[in-house]
Amino acid sequence: MELSDSERVDVEKDREDRISTLPRNVIDGILELLPVEDAARTSILSNNWRYIWAMLPNLVLNKLFCNKLAARSQYVFKDTIDKILLQHSGDIVKFVLDVSAIVLFPYPDIDRWMIYVTRNGVKELTLKSNYTTYNVPSYVFNCPTLTHLELLNCVFKPPISFLGFPNLVTLRLEKITFVPTPEFCVINAPLLVNLTFMYCNSTKYLNIVSSRLNSLVVRESHYDIELSCFMNCKNLAALYLATNNPISAERSKLEKLLLSLPILQVLTLCSFFLELLSAGAVPQELPFTLNCLWNLILGVNIGQMGQISYTLELIKSSPNLSKLEIWVNATSVTVEAVSEYLDTADCLNQPLNKLKYVVIHLFKGSKTELFFVKLLFARCPSLKSMSIKQAKASGSKEERNIVIELARFPRASPEAELLYFPCSD
């Protein structure tokens, strides 16, 4: 049945009303899911929609958006962002600018945009530059409203007048170069909860003070970060330390840090840090107990006596450990000595009553690895699953023999399940 003209108009009005009468926060949420240029196009829908997009609290100029504009010309890109900010009204709660893939981008334009957003109440700021030569301007450091700051490829040099980030909750710094200041740079961030360093340089020039810090991630940085500045972070629950660079830290400082974290729940240490901790003689009992730790992730050279013995001591010093992940780095060196050690009752002379889940990545099926798995099966009365993830594809016969041997290991837990994941190469 065909509608009359009047009925068609009524239907169209109903459709418009249903959208236009949605709560403003719902409309904002819909527009924020669109690319900025598509959100701007909604201004032609009606007079009611003309300025809605220009009042969006979140402006996300991501890599895809920036690359599409820059592919037309540098002028079009700069002019478009200028117009977006010029037409915007109200506070900017979140601002993301990703020019990391744009070559030879003029930094004065970024400075101008940073001035604008920091003067308009920005709380979440993400800036991804293209080279590590962009100096973070002083108005970013002096922005009191910031709660989230993420920087990529920048030079981090706070002004002399910098007192800290009073409201910052999350700080993520990737490929950042810290510049030495006349005095040791102390950043006071009383509300900081999450701190991440990725591929950073000269972190020794940075000291962040936050009694509320809950998560600390240091990955692939040129490791000269001062561990002692985190020893007062009594609320730290997650610690991730991983690097492929030579370690200049001291074993005593790392042990003191672990000793100073009473509620640590998740700990990740790569093989380099385990090597640092196991340097010299490994004590029969560690100088700290991780009573709240439930998840332990370790990179282990499972053929090195120091690392494997320290791994077992860490496990024994975590009485509430529920999940254990091992990333096997190597299996060579003192294979026979380590195998004999793992085959003795003294290397793990107590049951691991709380350990339920074990995951071993990059498993190669070496003798030391098999002894390690056998030991855990025998000492975990509450174990639910042992997941073995193979490092590389092997011959079907060799692989079958490894799985058969693993399946034959006696288990302290009647519920323990062996999950073997062959490499798909």
Side-chain angles (χ1 to χ4, degrees):
M1 180 177 177
E2 191 172 326
L3 295 175
S4 66
D5 290 342
S6 60
E7 289 174 327
R8 188 177 293 107
V9 169
D10 290 339
V11 169
E12 293 299 327
K13 284 183 178 179
D14 286 342
R15 287 177 180 172
E16 182 180 349
D17 287 342
R18 288 197 193 106
I19 299 174
S20 299
T21 58
L22 287 172
R24 181 54 186 273
N25 65 320
V26 175
I27 293 176
D28 287 346
I30 293 172
L31 294 183
E32 286 169 7
L33 295 174
L34 300 175
V36 175
E37 63 268 34
D38 291 338
R41 291 191 183 106
T42 61
S43 62
I44 66 173
L45 294 176
S46 69
N47 288 333
N48 291 336
W49 284 79
R50 187 173 181 181
Y51 298 108
I52 289 180
W53 80 271
M55 299 177 66
L56 288 177
N58 298 339
L59 291 179
V60 178
L61 311 181
N62 58 24
K63 183 184 290 187
L64 178 62
F65 171 80
C66 293
N67 287 356
K68 285 173 63 176
L69 287 179
R72 296 169 63 185
S73 75
Q74 289 277 349
Y75 172 77
V76 169
F77 176 48
K78 178 180 73 67
D79 187 59
T80 302
I81 296 183
D82 281 341
K83 287 180 179 177
I84 289 173
L85 295 179
L86 183 63
Q87 295 177 42
H88 191 273
S89 58
D91 288 346
I92 297 176
V93 176
K94 178 179 180 180
F95 184 72
V96 175
L97 178 64
D98 187 347
V99 295
S100 59
I102 299 176
V103 181
L104 300 176
F105 190 79
Y107 288 148
D109 293 323
I110 299 181
D111 289 345
R112 186 174 67 256
W113 300 332
M114 290 299 105
I115 289 176
Y116 183 87
V117 298
T118 54
R119 288 179 179 176
N120 282 271
V122 67
K123 293 183 178 180
E124 300 180 29
L125 177 60
T126 298
L127 172 59
K128 298 184 178 183
S129 176
N130 54 350
Y131 295 109
T132 55
T133 54
Y134 177 68
N135 285 279
V136 180
S138 59
Y139 20 90
V140 171
F141 290 102
N142 294 327
C143 180
T145 56
L146 279 177
T147 60
H148 176 103
L149 178 60
E150 181 176 350
L151 300 172
L152 169 68
N153 285 333
C154 296
V155 175
F156 195 95
K157 186 179 180 181
I160 297 175
S161 59
F162 181 60
L163 299 177
F165 295 109
N167 293 301
L168 199 65
V169 175
T170 299
L171 178 60
R172 179 184 173 86
L173 304 172
E174 184 174 354
K175 295 182 180 178
I176 301 298
T177 299
F178 299 97
V179 178
T181 54
E183 297 181 1
F184 190 57
C185 181
V186 177
I187 295 181
N188 186 28
L191 303 183
L192 189 66
V193 173
N194 305 303
L195 175 60
T196 300
F197 296 102
M198 302 277 288
Y199 307 97
C200 293
N201 293 315
S202 303
T203 48
K204 64 183 177 183
Y205 299 117
L206 186 68
N207 186 354
I208 294 183
V209 177
S210 174
S211 59
R212 296 192 183 185
L213 193 65
N214 180 266
S215 171
L216 172 62
V217 175
V218 181
R219 180 170 182 176
E220 298 300 333
S221 295
H222 293 293
Y223 197 79
D224 49 11
I225 193 168
E226 184 55 54
L227 288 175
S228 58
C229 70
F230 300 107
M231 291 182 184
N232 292 322
C233 300
K234 304 300 182 184
N235 290 311
L236 198 64
L239 176 61
Y240 181 106
L241 299 176
T243 179
N244 286 324
N245 296 299
I247 298 172
S248 60
E250 299 176 14
R251 170 179 173 173
S252 61
K253 285 187 177 181
L254 184 50
E255 286 190 334
K256 285 180 181 178
L257 175 62
L258 295 175
L259 181 62
S260 68
L261 304 177
I263 65 167
L264 188 65
Q265 298 175 31
V266 180
L267 174 63
T268 300
L269 295 174
C270 73
S271 174
F272 283 89
F273 285 95
L274 206 57
E275 183 179 354
L276 173 68
L277 288 168
S278 62
V282 176
Q284 290 295 320
E285 186 176 335
L286 299 186
F288 54 83
T289 301
L290 303 173
N291 289 310
C292 295
L293 194 75
W294 66 269
N295 189 2
L296 178 62
I297 304 125
L298 299 173
V300 185
N301 183 334
I302 213 163
Q304 191 177 90
M305 180 68 78
Q307 289 197 29
I308 196 65
S309 59
Y310 203 95
T311 295
L312 294 177
E313 290 301 323
L314 265 178
I315 293 172
K316 288 193 289 184
S317 298
S318 308
N320 291 300
L321 191 65
S322 174
K323 183 177 181 181
L324 173 66
E325 283 191 59
I326 300 292
W327 290 80
V328 179
N329 280 14
T331 57
S332 57
V333 195
T334 53
V335 174
E336 289 302 324
V338 174
S339 299
E340 291 177 8
Y341 169 72
L342 291 172
D343 199 30
T344 61
D346 292 339
C347 69
L348 188 56
N349 54 6
Q350 65 187 57
L352 307 177
N353 294 318
K354 300 292 183 68
L355 190 56
K356 295 180 179 180
Y357 305 98
V358 176
V359 182
I360 300 180
H361 302 269
L362 304 179
F363 185 82
K364 303 174 183 65
S366 69
K367 188 176 180 180
T368 49
E369 290 169 298
L370 291 170
F371 272 113
F372 185 71
V373 172
K374 181 180 180 181
L375 178 67
L376 292 179
F377 265 137
R379 291 290 189 270
C380 301
S382 300
L383 189 68
K384 292 186 178 296
S385 70
M386 170 77 70
S387 299
I388 308 291
K389 300 186 178 183
Q390 192 181 23
K392 60 181 180 179
S394 59
S396 57
K397 183 178 180 181
E398 178 187 358
E399 187 175 314
R400 185 171 62 252
N401 291 339
I402 290 173
V403 175
I404 291 173
E405 187 169 1
L406 288 169
R408 286 175 176 170
F409 290 154
R411 307 173 193 185
S413 169
E415 298 180 4
E417 183 180 11
L418 173 65
L419 305 174
Y420 188 85
F421 300 90
C423 183
S424 57
D425 287 352

